[in-house]
Amino acid sequence: MSTETGAETGAETGSETGSETGAGTGSETGAGTGTGAGAGFATGPGSGTTRIHNIGYRDYEGPRLGRAYARRSLYSQSLRGAYGLGRSAKSKVLPMILFAVMCVPAAIVVAVAVTTDLTDLPLDYTRYAIVTQAVIGLYLASQAPQSVSRDLRFKTVPLYFSRPIERVDYVLAKYGAMTSALFILTASPLVVLYAGSLLAKMDFAHQTKGFGQGLVSVALLSILFGGLGLVMAALTPRRGFGVAAVIATLVISYGAVSTLQAIAWSVDAGDAVKWLGLFSPITLIDGVQTAFLGAGSSFPGGAGPSAGVGVVYLVVVLALILGSYAVLMRRYRKVGL
């Protein structure tokens, strides 16, 4: 009797369980499986069962924009970041203040020239960047570390290189963006001066020539300063150290060279004044524009380099530019950094 009861109970239990399991599994699996893109896993309400969905992975069939587009995007993002665009409000304060400080003196010069009917601007186009070089140095010291030090500190450079972008693309984009930012900073006051001179009806040919010489000068300054600033900032992931290194390279070197030039001039060593100018970035630009652009020199006594010595100045400037590029390429040789 017990044997028959056990057999009947087992058969009934097995058949019921099998039918319920088969029905449940079939219905739930059939309902849960599809061709659309959905969640990877889902749990039925109150049933405690798990359903697997087909998330529908597909190959990308859209246009592939390639390295050139990635390089342009990195350049644009870096240039915008140099003026705080696309960043927080406090990131815009310092670059915009420095930009205003660069342009306000030019506006004052124009106002004086217009109201007093001057026939020429009291400040040459090529002299403006030399006079405001402290502002340029502060801008570079604040923005060069922001451009590269953050990528180094937070290890985001490998993320750039995981895309169709290579080391040369990264360096060119960052170098180009910093150079462009400096050119905007230094050329905008010249535009204000030029517009003011035309408004004051000064000699068009003379003002246009001076304006062109000023643009050449600040373009060379932007390339040189941009490279040096990025090199100093890329040597350390710490932004504060990068700021100090840039200030030391530009401001301290200029102060030291200017002091030595003054001492040399006071002891009638005029030739030494010209050669000492090779040891500071700002005096290098001063020497080049004095020798080749007809600008007045800020050296003691106005003793700027001649055309022959100016060739040496130009060679040193080009060597520093190429050297800065080479150092940056070497710095980013390892993706892991």
Side-chain angles (χ1 to χ4, degrees):
M1 182 66 178
S2 58
T3 305
E4 293 176 357
T5 303
E8 291 175 359
T9 303
E12 291 176 358
T13 303
S15 61
E16 290 176 0
T17 304
S19 60
E20 290 176 358
T21 304
T25 304
S27 61
E28 291 175 357
T29 305
T33 304
T35 58
F41 294 93
T43 302
S47 63
T49 60
T50 300
R51 292 175 292 178
I52 301 177
H53 296 267
N54 179 8
I55 61 178
Y57 283 121
R58 299 174 183 174
D59 293 336
Y60 175 72
E61 298 177 354
R64 299 185 181 275
L65 302 177
R67 287 175 55 190
Y69 179 82
R71 184 169 55 247
R72 288 195 301 270
S73 298
L74 181 58
Y75 166 81
S76 174
Q77 181 265 339
S78 300
L79 178 57
R80 285 167 53 84
Y83 284 95
L85 303 178
R87 299 168 60 198
S88 62
K90 66 179 182 179
S91 299
K92 299 178 177 65
V93 174
L94 183 58
M96 292 304 177
I97 289 178
L98 293 176
F99 182 82
V101 171
M102 284 290 295
C103 293
V104 167
I108 294 175
V109 169
V110 168
V112 172
V114 172
T115 55
T116 58
D117 296 326
L118 295 179
T119 59
D120 198 3
L121 292 173
L123 182 63
D124 293 337
Y125 294 97
T126 52
R127 291 281 301 152
Y128 197 91
I130 305 299
V131 173
T132 58
Q133 56 92 17
V135 181
I136 300 172
L138 288 176
Y139 177 84
L140 183 62
S142 64
Q143 298 307 312
Q146 178 273 328
S147 180
V148 295
S149 296
R150 290 166 59 89
D151 290 344
L152 295 172
R153 182 177 181 182
F154 297 107
K155 305 295 183 180
T156 57
V157 176
L159 297 180
Y160 286 112
F161 294 163
S162 67
R163 302 299 182 186
I165 186 173
E166 296 183 1
R167 175 168 49 111
V168 63
D169 301 315
Y170 182 88
V171 172
L172 286 176
K174 291 293 185 179
Y175 200 155
M178 184 53 58
T179 299
S180 299
L182 285 172
F183 184 75
I184 292 172
L185 180 74
T186 53
S188 296
L190 303 187
V191 174
V192 175
L193 290 175
Y194 183 63
S197 68
L198 298 182
L199 184 63
K201 298 181 180 179
M202 298 179 183
D203 184 70
F204 177 79
H206 177 68
Q207 295 301 322
T208 302
K209 178 182 178 182
F211 178 61
Q213 291 173 340
L215 290 181
V216 173
S217 175
V218 297
L220 188 61
L221 180 146
S222 300
I223 298 173
L224 176 62
F225 278 35
L228 293 176
L230 289 180
V231 167
M232 295 297 104
L235 293 178
T236 173
R238 297 294 180 179
R239 183 175 180 178
F241 293 159
V243 171
V246 173
I247 291 177
T249 302
L250 299 181
V251 179
I252 296 180
S253 66
Y254 177 73
V257 169
S258 298
T259 302
L260 292 175
Q261 285 180 324
I263 294 173
W265 179 257
S266 65
V267 297
D268 296 328
D271 292 337
V273 172
K274 302 176 182 179
W275 295 108
L276 286 171
L278 294 171
F279 298 96
S280 170
I282 193 67
T283 54
L284 279 171
I285 298 298
D286 192 353
V288 170
Q289 68 181 16
T290 300
F292 301 108
L293 298 178
S297 176
S298 62
F299 291 0
S306 61
V309 180
V311 172
V312 180
Y313 273 71
L314 183 59
V315 170
V316 174
V317 169
L318 295 178
L320 287 175
I321 293 173
L322 294 177
S324 298
Y325 176 78
V327 171
L328 289 173
M329 288 292 291
R330 183 177 179 84
R331 178 68 179 91
Y332 291 100
R333 182 174 57 181
K334 296 181 179 181
V335 175
L337 301 175

